[in-house]
Amino acid sequence: MKIQKTVLFLLVGVSGLLFAGTSAAQKYYKDITYPRLNDIQIPDVERIELSDGIILFLLEDHELPLINLSARFGVGSIDDPVGKIGLASITGEVMRTGGSLTMSGEEMDEALESIAGSVETGIGLTSGSASMSVLKEHLDQGLSILVDVLTHPAFPQDKIDLAKVQLRSVIARRNDQASSIASREFPKLIYGADSPYARHSEYADVDAITREDLIDFHQEFFHPDNCMISVWGDFDAGEMKETIERAFANWKKSGFERKPLPVVNYEFDSSVNLIKKEDINQTIIRLGHIGGLMDNPDYFALEVMSDILGGAFTSRIFKNIRSRMGLAYSAGGRYGSNFAYPGTFFVYSQTKADSTVKALEALIAEIDKMTKELVTDEELAQAKDQYLNSYVFNFDTKGEIVNRMMMYEYYGYPKDFLQKTKENVEKVTKEDVLRVAKKYLHPDRLRILAVGNPELFDRPLSELGEVNEIDITIPVVEEELPEATDDDVAKGKEFLSKSVEACGGLKAFQVIQSAQIKSELNIVTPQGALSAKSTATIVPPDRERVVMNLPMGEILQILNGDKAWLVTPNGSMPAPEQTMKEMQADLRRNLTFFFGRIDQTDFEIQYLGEEKAGEESCEVLHIRLNDGSSFKLYLNAETMIPAKIQYRGMSIMGAPADCEEIYSDYRDVSDVKIPFHMILNQDGKETLVSKVQSYVINPEVDDSQFVVEE
């Protein structure tokens, strides 16, 4: 034991000396110096202009037997015509999903999958794109598919319809997240709501887009003399030039001339803007003004200044507002510069609602401070090192190198722009940073946006200036109806009364204060049909609980006044606002409860005439409720029993859809007629069949069923 202890003491003593020596040798991190980074050897990219106008960039890379191609076209969503915003996006998508005149999109998928290849197309804000990736041995097949897509797209109607459904779904959900709202609405404050750089699609835009629009859009912009192509991979440059020329031989030059990008007209001023989102206890903040262009001689100093102010974890905004003051979950900023149109200067934070104005003032103070004093040596070094140390990652793949060359030429920049940027960033001084901050930052002329609940703010937002409240309501496309005459209104009321009487009479319906309905469902989804069982407990006017047993587990949906929840096997969550509104509208359209309250409900009614519903001849009524929602009621002309209703609702994809509920198998339940069979069609396609198994009038209802612990 004694020997062991002696050895232990010796080890401790030696290790102590070792650590002491190490400690003595350590330097304070600020005193450490690093050698200059080695220069990067950049491979040469061969540029060729083909006879048909295609500008070709080639870079050999023999490491793997792969060939990759990227194309860029002079077209973008900036070219969308007014009233059809989204046309470019849908065109770029359906060019590929719809296939060509000789091969469908599905056939292309199978052919490419069999050779482990890919071909894609798309159109962004200021440029269109296409890409191909194949093994070297499959180049001809992959290139053939790409050329076919670019030159002879089929634009089948079903793929256009699917793309439009997906875009409608995006519109329907665009107000779900506060951060998404801020990111969408702030550019409108800078460029203008109708600017091509800030606008977005509405339902009316999507509805207006036709197949002919896609064909015309493609024919206008997709030409070889509006095309750049970069190719990199395992090939010989001379042979690849001949291969590309041969593949595109039938694509004729058009004399295309690209229009200049829209001009941004901006005047520096101040404004305070609020978007109310009362279901959150945080505030998303954006504030700033117009930014600049990358060809500005001051671009390099602005990049350094931007990083010091808000571009990294070491930035002033992050350290002071998030870490030191504890005002934000996230905070930062950027002086944005774009290639072809001015970027935006903005700073941001996500803060507690009760520190909203304090956080705003702190952000403004950081911008102001930037314009009044020199940055420190440490701040300058950190910002420059951050850029210079990441510079090498611009060259880690051959694709990045050749595509950057193509992008620079597309926007009219010199091919060595990146290298020049590095050289000029190295030269930036503290005096340069202060000079550009004074010149380009305007802390007294900022456009401010806050997304949150003003009732929870620490102080009124009006302390910063007059508040402009922005309405982000999603416009709904209304069906145009003939102007209602007194006779139309009278007939509408008459037929509605006859229908109520034919189904049991007003007094019988007034007895119904609640109901529990058990049903078997067949649901048609994009992934296929599935069977389910549901139990719905309804207490009008605004409470509903639906339990659905699906193959993947139980889903619970609850509506209680102006709140709604979804409970899944993964937990509970508040339902998106659009879902809650659709649940409320669905309850108001429920004819069993609507009939019992026609003497209490405020609504407008109009007789639209006689129309066929399947084989039935029906009297058609249009009913508009006081919340603005409406539906058409089709009554069997002989029996006055409801045959169906039509309305604008939400599809299974979460997008607006033209819906119709077709009723049959009426049975007497507590002296009223109830349809036990319902088919739901959305945009002309069957999406749900419901067969009622039991319908209980006025069941015992526990109020706790309509509450979810948040």
Side-chain angles (χ1 to χ4, degrees):
M1 290 289 293
K2 191 172 183 180
I3 294 174
Q4 290 175 341
K5 283 186 178 180
T6 301
V7 172
L8 177 63
F9 291 148
L10 285 170
L11 289 172
V12 170
V14 171
S15 64
L17 289 171
L18 289 172
F19 281 116
T22 302
S23 176
Q26 284 181 338
K27 287 185 177 181
Y28 185 49
Y29 77 94
K30 292 185 179 181
D31 296 329
I32 299 175
T33 58
Y34 299 95
R36 184 180 180 277
L37 295 173
N38 294 331
D39 291 331
I40 297 170
Q41 299 301 314
I42 303 171
D44 290 331
V45 175
E46 186 172 355
R47 180 195 182 278
I48 305 166
E49 188 165 348
L50 304 182
S51 59
D52 59 6
I54 292 176
I55 297 174
L56 184 62
F57 299 85
L58 301 175
L59 181 58
E60 296 181 21
D61 180 8
H62 302 287
E63 185 174 356
L64 295 170
L66 298 173
I67 295 179
N68 297 282
L69 179 151
S70 178
R72 186 180 286 264
F73 296 89
V75 61
S77 61
I78 56 171
D79 297 303
D80 282 337
V82 175
K84 296 185 180 182
I85 309 305
L87 173 59
S89 173
I90 293 176
T91 302
E93 178 181 346
V94 181
M95 278 178 67
R96 171 61 181 87
T97 61
S100 70
L101 299 178
T102 58
M103 182 183 290
S104 70
E106 289 77 12
E107 289 171 337
M108 286 182 179
D109 293 339
E110 292 177 7
L112 290 165
E113 186 176 347
S114 70
I115 61 173
S118 69
V119 168
E120 303 296 338
T121 61
I123 298 178
L125 179 63
T126 60
S127 68
S129 65
S131 65
M132 180 203 72
S133 179
V134 291
L135 291 167
K136 179 180 180 179
E137 62 190 278
H138 300 304
L139 172 61
D140 288 343
Q141 187 176 355
L143 199 54
S144 174
I145 292 174
L146 174 69
V147 172
D148 209 15
V149 164
L150 293 178
T151 59
H152 301 104
F155 295 124
Q157 189 62 51
D158 62 330
K159 297 301 183 183
I160 296 172
D161 291 340
L162 178 59
K164 291 170 73 169
V165 166
Q166 292 168 339
L167 185 49
R168 290 189 188 102
S169 181
V170 171
I171 296 171
R173 291 188 164 93
R174 74 185 185 200
N175 289 337
D176 291 351
Q177 301 295 326
S179 57
S180 298
I181 294 170
S183 297
R184 183 187 72 241
E185 296 297 321
F186 184 71
K188 293 183 185 178
L189 297 178
I190 304 302
Y191 300 110
D194 297 325
S195 167
Y197 305 117
R199 63 189 181 181
H200 50 73
S201 301
E202 300 290 359
Y203 295 134
D205 293 298
V206 180
D207 291 347
I209 294 170
T210 67
R211 180 174 180 270
E212 288 69 29
D213 292 325
L214 271 69
I215 293 171
D216 292 343
F217 195 84
H218 172 266
Q219 290 178 346
E220 181 178 357
F221 292 103
F222 284 82
H223 304 286
D225 42 346
N226 188 33
C227 176
M228 295 179 174
I229 294 177
S230 64
V231 191
W232 66 101
D234 189 13
F235 58 81
D236 173 80
E239 293 177 359
M240 181 56 68
K241 172 182 176 293
E242 294 177 359
T243 299
I244 296 294
E245 283 185 317
R246 186 167 56 249
F248 287 97
N250 294 324
W251 205 19
K252 301 305 179 184
K253 198 171 185 178
S254 67
F256 180 87
E257 291 187 10
R258 181 83 173 109
K259 294 179 293 187
L261 293 184
V263 175
V264 176
N265 295 311
Y266 187 88
E267 293 184 8
F268 286 94
D269 56 26
S270 302
S271 66
V272 180
N273 305 274
L274 169 68
I275 296 175
K276 285 186 180 179
K277 191 163 176 59
E278 298 174 342
D279 58 342
I280 59 174
N281 57 11
Q282 303 170 6
T283 305
I284 306 297
I285 294 170
R286 298 278 190 281
L287 62 153
H289 49 63
I290 198 72
L293 290 165
M294 295 171 71
D295 61 2
N296 182 350
D298 287 329
Y299 167 69
F300 320 105
L302 284 166
E303 283 289 285
V304 176
M305 181 273 293
S306 180
D307 279 345
I308 294 171
L309 177 61
F313 293 123
T314 57
S315 72
R316 289 181 174 184
I317 287 176
F318 190 89
K319 289 194 298 186
N320 292 335
I321 293 175
R322 184 186 185 277
S323 301
R324 184 175 63 81
M325 300 177 71
L327 290 177
Y329 307 101
S330 63
R334 190 85 204 145
Y335 187 92
S337 299
N338 292 331
F339 282 109
Y341 69 97
T344 60
F345 163 65
F346 70 97
V347 296
Y348 68 90
S349 76
Q350 179 180 341
T351 187
K352 296 178 294 184
D354 60 5
S355 60
T356 298
V357 178
K358 187 176 182 181
L360 273 165
E361 291 175 331
L363 288 168
I364 296 170
E366 290 297 338
I367 300 170
D368 187 58
K369 180 182 177 183
M370 201 78 202
T371 66
K372 291 183 176 176
E373 58 186 52
L374 290 171
V375 299
T376 66
D377 291 333
E378 182 180 4
E379 287 176 321
L380 180 68
Q382 284 178 336
K384 292 168 72 170
D385 285 347
Q386 180 175 316
Y387 178 86
L388 298 172
N389 291 339
S390 63
Y391 178 73
V392 65
F393 297 109
N394 292 297
F395 306 93
D396 53 358
T397 70
K398 296 293 196 298
E400 287 178 330
I401 296 170
V402 67
N403 282 321
R404 184 164 50 248
M405 295 300 101
M406 182 170 67
M407 179 177 65
Y408 286 161
E409 177 150 342
Y410 180 83
Y411 288 113
Y413 282 69
K415 65 179 182 179
D416 62 346
F417 178 74
L418 187 63
Q419 295 92 308
K420 294 296 183 184
T421 299
K422 173 181 176 294
E423 294 170 5
N424 282 288
V425 165
E426 289 176 320
K427 298 175 183 176
V428 172
T429 66
K430 293 188 294 183
E431 289 73 19
D432 290 330
V433 172
L434 180 60
R435 175 180 59 79
V436 297
K438 286 182 175 181
K439 182 176 181 180
Y440 295 100
L441 299 186
H442 302 275
D444 57 335
R445 288 177 287 176
L446 298 168
R447 297 181 185 179
I448 297 170
L449 175 65
V451 182
N453 185 354
E455 298 297 322
L456 304 178
F457 290 177
D458 48 344
R459 287 149 44 206
L461 204 58
S462 57
E463 290 188 11
L464 301 176
E466 183 179 351
V467 178
N468 169 47
E469 186 173 337
I470 298 174
D471 182 7
I472 58 170
T473 303
I474 302 171
V476 177
V477 179
E478 292 282 352
E479 180 184 3
E480 291 187 14
L481 298 173
E483 187 175 350
T485 65
D486 292 342
D487 188 47
D488 293 334
V489 174
K491 276 189 177 181
K493 291 179 179 179
E494 177 188 350
F495 283 123
L496 180 61
S497 296
K498 286 182 178 180
S499 182
V500 172
E501 194 62 33
C503 291
L506 181 59
K507 289 184 179 180
F509 278 106
Q510 287 176 333
V511 170
I512 304 174
Q513 299 301 310
S514 61
Q516 186 177 80
I517 308 110
K518 294 185 178 181
S519 306
E520 290 185 354
L521 310 174
N522 185 60
I523 307 168
V524 181
T525 75
Q527 291 73 38
L530 57 88
S531 298
K533 293 184 178 181
S534 74
T535 300
T537 303
I538 304 174
V539 182
D542 57 7
R543 289 192 293 168
E544 181 178 31
R545 174 189 176 92
V546 181
V547 181
M548 294 184 64
N549 293 298
L550 298 161
M552 67 285 294
E554 183 179 280
I555 294 179
L556 173 63
Q557 187 171 282
I558 293 176
L559 173 68
N560 191 345
D562 59 356
K563 292 187 177 181
W565 298 268
L566 299 175
V567 183
T568 72
N570 296 324
S572 64
M573 69 187 88
E577 183 180 3
Q578 191 67 23
T579 301
M580 179 194 70
K581 289 182 177 179
E582 182 62 19
M583 292 170 68
Q584 292 171 330
D586 189 59
L587 193 53
R588 288 189 288 267
R589 286 190 296 261
N590 188 305
L591 294 181
T592 302
F593 302 107
F594 176 69
F595 279 5
R597 289 162 177 77
I598 60 171
D599 60 338
Q600 306 168 24
T601 305
D602 184 15
F603 64 92
E604 299 174 4
I605 192 165
Q606 178 181 356
Y607 174 64
L608 297 179
E610 192 170 327
E611 189 177 324
K612 281 279 190 179
E615 297 299 317
E616 297 182 56
S617 180
C618 294
E619 305 291 358
V620 185
L621 313 181
H622 182 266
I623 296 169
R624 182 181 298 280
L625 303 174
N626 61 358
D627 66 339
S629 64
S630 63
F631 62 94
K632 286 182 181 179
L633 174 58
Y634 287 70
L635 305 175
N636 183 287
E638 294 183 6
T639 66
M640 287 290 109
I641 302 294
K644 69 176 183 179
I645 64 171
Q646 286 184 343
Y647 55 91
R648 186 78 163 166
M650 190 165 68
S651 74
I652 195 169
M653 298 283 289
D658 291 323
C659 304
E660 64 174 3
E661 298 176 12
I662 302 171
Y663 307 123
S664 60
D665 190 17
Y666 275 88
R667 303 181 191 180
D668 290 330
V669 179
S670 297
D671 299 324
V672 300
K673 294 188 181 298
I674 302 291
F676 271 55
H677 189 274
M678 187 272 287
I679 298 174
L680 172 63
N681 294 325
Q682 295 182 328
D683 289 331
K685 297 179 180 179
E686 184 178 292
T687 57
L688 173 69
V689 177
S690 172
K691 296 179 180 179
V692 175
Q693 302 301 300
S694 69
Y695 199 110
V696 179
I697 300 293
N698 297 332
E700 288 189 14
V701 177
D702 183 353
D703 289 344
S704 65
Q705 290 182 303
F706 302 96
V707 178
V708 173
E709 291 186 9
E710 298 185 63

